[in-house]
Amino acid sequence: MEKEEARQGESGHVVCGSWIRRPKKVNWAIIARASKRRGSSSPALLNIFSFDPITTSLSSSPLAIHELKESDGDPVAISVHPGGDYFVCSTSKGGCKLFEIVGGAMCVTILAKELPPLQNAGLQKCMAFSFDGSKLATGGVDGCLRIMEWPNLTVILDEPKAHKSIRDMDFSLDSEFLATTSTDGSARIWKAEDGFPLSTLERSGDENIELCRFSKDGTKPFLFCAAQRGDVPVVNVYDISTWKKLGFKKLSRKSASTMAVSLDGKYIALGGKDGDISVAEVKTMEIYHYSKRLHLGQAIASLEFCPSERVMLTTSSEWGEMVTKLTVPKEWKEWQIYALLFCLFMASVVLAYVFFENSDSFWKLPMGKDQRRPKISLFGDSSTTPAEDHNKWNLDL
């Protein structure tokens, strides 16, 4: 079963979207809209919506709205800090903007902050916070790669010739490595701590690596890369200890425009250039969910798993934002596991009692005609009472 939601208001088309993790497993979504240029002066907007896991939908009205200045241009990409209090937005007229989310469920405000290292950095195609929130990386269309410490914004790396033009990036689960891909089909690995280039991923002559995501379950140290082998889209798998290719898997019929891995690392998703989404289990690399033409005829601009639900947030310029419930196997909740363990414990207690009461008949042991099971006493002879044992002890004295 799927439930989808699309919005088209008086403002311009949706550019991208992302989840915001809040305390107590509450999730919000931030949706960026471009300015509407035809017959209207509607500005570019950053909207925050609440998410209802019961109805699998976003709120009908935003919790907070922020208007971008005309001098900033339209939003291009958004990266939300893992703590859920900050996000960075790159703009079409160059540079990035930092925003702080202030308030609770009833009153939310988006406050603009200064971001000196990236104010005039040029158009940034992609951005990413490290998993532990200690680093921020940005990739420009000019091929410049920047890595900064967070929140002091100390520059770790400023490499103007990292790629021809950076297309995608992702941090590893331990925040030790950063993977980047280029529009020329190459991909490189960087050490996040000091920005040292570690490796260039191997590829065949007709293969172009386009997207990259690290595994996130903590047990399988892999890097997944969506690549194009001629006309065939595949997902390459690399071992991050050697950066050697382990193999590949075909998960979709058409090229992917975006890629995501669930927060627990169990699922990987591809958003197609034709509007389809495919979700596969990482363990088996088999498709568990497929939504055909979810964004009919439009490339999916952004795709992201909900942090605490099996729900996907997708956006496209034509169909806006959509929230889709994934048809994947249901998982045991924590209270269900404890309830099962309690039931198993009680069942073992009952079985042990029944076994003890019927042990003689169970083992078919021969019993004498007047033989009885001895009574066990903690005070002495099992054939006498405690009072008799006491009197007998006094007589012996």
Side-chain angles (χ1 to χ4, degrees), residues 144-280:
C144 182
L145 174 65
R146 295 175 176 87
I147 304 177
M148 292 164 286
E149 294 181 354
W150 185 270
N152 57 33
L153 300 177
T154 301
V155 177
I156 298 174
L157 175 68
D158 189 342
E159 176 52 63
K161 297 181 180 180
H163 287 287
K164 179 180 178 181
S165 181
I166 298 178
R167 177 170 183 171
D168 195 22
M169 62 171 52
D170 191 42
F171 278 98
S172 61
L173 179 63
D174 58 6
S175 303
E176 184 177 355
F177 305 112
L178 174 69
T180 58
T181 65
S182 173
T183 55
D184 63 7
S186 63
R188 302 182 69 180
I189 307 298
W190 310 80
K191 193 171 181 180
E193 190 66 28
D194 55 13
F196 182 78
L198 293 175
S199 177
T200 298
L201 297 183
E202 62 177 291
R203 56 182 177 130
S204 57
D206 63 340
E207 186 176 66
N208 289 324
I209 300 174
E210 299 179 339
L211 308 169
C212 59
R213 289 295 181 272
F214 281 95
S215 60
K216 289 182 170 58
D217 64 351
T219 60
K220 303 177 182 64
F222 300 144
L223 172 65
F224 303 104
C225 291
Q228 196 74 17
R229 288 187 173 183
D231 296 330
V232 181
V234 296
V235 175
N236 294 335
V237 182
Y238 297 87
D239 185 346
I240 70 172
S241 62
T242 61
W243 305 113
K244 299 296 183 181
K245 186 190 298 184
L246 299 176
F248 68 92
K249 181 75 173 182
K250 184 178 179 180
L251 296 179
S252 61
R253 297 179 181 178
K254 298 184 180 180
S255 301
S257 58
T258 184
M259 188 179 186
V261 173
S262 62
L263 196 63
D264 59 5
K266 292 185 177 180
Y267 294 97
I268 182 174
L270 296 174
K273 294 180 180 179
D274 57 351
D276 298 355
I277 64 169
S278 303
V279 180

Side-chain angles (χ1 to χ4, degrees), residues 105-151:
M106 302 302 296
C107 182
V108 182
T109 305
I110 303 175
L111 299 179
K113 299 285 185 178
E114 295 295 328
L115 193 59
L118 297 173
Q119 282 184 349
N120 300 304
L123 181 58
Q124 303 300 299
K125 180 66 181 299
C126 53
M127 301 176 296
F129 279 100
S130 61
F131 198 81
D132 61 4
S134 65
K135 296 175 182 65
L136 169 66
T138 64
V141 295
D142 58 356
C144 182
L145 174 65
R146 295 175 176 87
I147 304 177
M148 292 164 286
E149 294 181 354
W150 185 270

Side-chain angles (χ1 to χ4, degrees), residues 315-382:
T315 65
S316 67
S317 59
E318 179 69 22
W319 302 103
E321 71 272 18
M322 292 187 182
V323 176
T324 305
K325 187 174 182 179
L326 303 179
T327 54
V328 296
K330 293 184 178 180
E331 299 173 351
W332 287 82
K333 297 185 180 297
E334 187 175 355
W335 68 268
Q336 292 175 322
I337 296 176
Y338 284 119
L340 176 63
L341 293 176
F342 177 76
C343 292
L344 292 175
F345 172 75
M346 294 303 298
S348 64
V349 171
V350 172
L351 289 175
Y353 175 77
V354 172
F355 176 79
F356 176 77
E357 288 294 318
N358 300 276
S359 58
D360 291 342
S361 59
F362 178 81
W363 292 107
K364 308 290 185 184
L365 296 177
M367 302 290 290
K369 187 174 182 180
D370 298 326
Q371 186 177 355
R372 296 181 181 178
R373 181 177 298 179
K375 295 182 179 180
I376 300 174
S377 174
L378 299 178
F379 299 95
D381 188 359
S382 60

Side-chain angles (χ1 to χ4, degrees), residues 5-19:
E5 182 176 330
R7 309 170 198 275
Q8 294 295 332
E10 296 180 355
S11 58
H13 65 271
V14 170
V15 177
C16 59
S18 181
W19 292 105

